[in-house]
Amino acid sequence: MASTLISNPPTASSSSSTPIFSHQPRLSTISSCCAPRLPKSLSSPPSSSVSIFGAAAAAAAIATKFFVAYSETKPIAGNKKNPFSGGVVRCSVASSPSAPLPSALLFDCDGVLVDTERDGHRISFNDTFAENELGVTWDVDLYGELLKIGGGKERMTAYFNKTGWPEKAPKGDEERKQFIASLHKRKTELFMALIEKKLLPLRPGVAKLIDEALGSGVKVAVCSTSNEKAVSAIVSFLLGPERAGKIQIFAGDVVARKKPDPAIYQLASATLGVEPLRYYVV
């Protein structure tokens, strides 16, 4: 019964003293089936602003003296297939002194810590396909659809199963698995090169939110279906070694069933020693 915290991106008028965390629209659907339902009667935003970490703590006690405003914007017209533009889910919370802090924050990586999908992973996939002369290119709209499939190896396999395997691909099932694994390994190398060069910056507010959490004794972890080396590179190079040393990573093939299956969050909960009701998924 983990709760999911999602808020709208910062605007030019946002105060620098109030950290705001943002999500890609596709990630607005990643929520716990047991996340609290907000009463429709609570339709007015609070008068005072709080940090998003304060909002996370407040969300744990919605039922006791909290005022929550919730609204969901619609996708931008003409871009329904584009996961990189459109609506977001907004959540504003007024804090209370009695609000308990969560025991842990579990972050996704791609599109949450960094805008990696469109200009990171997709580009690296295409460069890998080009190097191997496969005659395959994933444009933004197609990749948006492929993101519904968790995991890069699984994504490529599903695509080739549907559209037909390249002529250079082997014919046997086991050989094809090895072929996909080799493509994914090369794709990860290209992606990590982008991260190491810091060509993909952290999303606004991420570092401050993590600092607030760690400074308050709240455990922080990253749960991702991406390759473990790629996720570790993002955490290490972009968040820095000091933060990275305090963040546990659950990624890649650490679980058999990938998102949207909750297996990776169950593993994180058990490993961190945190009850499901006491952590939040971002």
Side-chain angles (χ1 to χ4, degrees):
M1 291 188 181
S3 297
T4 300
L5 177 64
I6 303 178
S7 73
N8 52 303
T11 62
S13 61
S14 297
S15 169
S16 61
S17 63
T18 303
I20 299 295
F21 192 80
S22 59
H23 279 244
Q24 289 288 1
R26 74 177 184 88
L27 293 172
S28 66
T29 61
I30 299 180
S31 60
S32 168
C33 62
C34 300
R37 299 293 181 183
L38 307 182
K40 294 182 179 179
S41 60
L42 300 178
S43 57
S44 300
S47 57
S48 61
S49 61
V50 295
S51 73
I52 192 167
F53 187 58
I62 286 175
T64 57
K65 300 180 181 179
F66 284 88
F67 302 92
V68 184
Y70 175 89
S71 65
E72 183 171 0
T73 62
K74 299 298 182 181
I76 296 173
N79 286 293
K80 292 181 179 179
K81 292 184 178 181
N82 187 347
F84 307 103
S85 64
V88 295
V89 175
R90 299 172 178 173
C91 181
S92 301
V93 185
S95 63
S96 165
S98 62
L101 293 176
S103 297
L105 293 182
L106 308 183
F107 288 84
D108 192 4
C109 181
D110 300 312
V112 176
L113 298 182
V114 187
D115 280 332
T116 53
E117 295 293 9
R118 181 180 61 185
D119 299 322
H121 287 296
R122 184 182 68 88
I123 299 301
S124 299
F125 274 118
N126 285 338
D127 287 347
T128 300
F129 298 152
E131 284 184 359
N132 288 271
E133 300 179 340
L134 300 184
V136 174
T137 300
W138 288 350
D139 63 24
V140 171
D141 286 345
L142 172 58
Y143 192 66
E145 291 297 313
L146 291 171
L147 284 175
K148 296 176 182 178
I149 303 167
K153 294 189 290 292
E154 292 81 358
R155 200 168 294 147
M156 285 188 286
T157 301
Y159 173 80
F160 291 138
N161 282 340
K162 183 176 181 179
T163 63
W165 285 76
E167 292 183 4
K168 291 189 175 183
K171 306 302 180 183
D173 290 342
E174 192 59 37
E175 290 77 10
R176 282 181 172 176
K177 287 182 180 180
Q178 295 175 7
F179 175 70
I180 289 293
S182 67
L183 292 178
H184 194 260
K185 180 180 178 181
R186 178 54 180 159
K187 172 259 172 187
T188 299
E189 292 172 351
L190 294 174
F191 176 77
M192 289 179 65
L194 293 177
I195 297 300
E196 291 171 6
K197 294 176 183 177
K198 297 187 177 181
L199 297 178
L200 297 172
L202 286 172
R203 303 200 72 187
V206 168
K208 189 168 186 179
L209 171 56
I210 290 175
D211 287 343
E212 288 182 14
L214 293 174
S216 299
V218 175
K219 298 177 181 179
V220 175
V222 177
C223 300
S224 174
T225 58
S226 292
N227 181 277
E228 190 274 336
K229 290 184 178 179
V231 177
S232 295
I234 288 174
V235 173
S236 178
F237 283 98
L238 301 186
L239 284 171
E242 184 176 351
R243 292 190 188 98
K246 302 173 183 178
I247 298 173
Q248 190 150 351
I249 295 173
F250 303 88
D253 298 321
V254 68
V255 291
R257 302 181 307 279
K258 296 187 176 181
K259 298 177 185 177
D261 189 282
I264 197 166
Y265 296 115
Q266 294 168 345
L267 175 63
S269 176
T271 304
L272 296 173
V274 176
E275 293 295 326
L277 280 173
R278 298 296 304 135
Y279 69 81
Y280 289 83
V281 174
V282 182

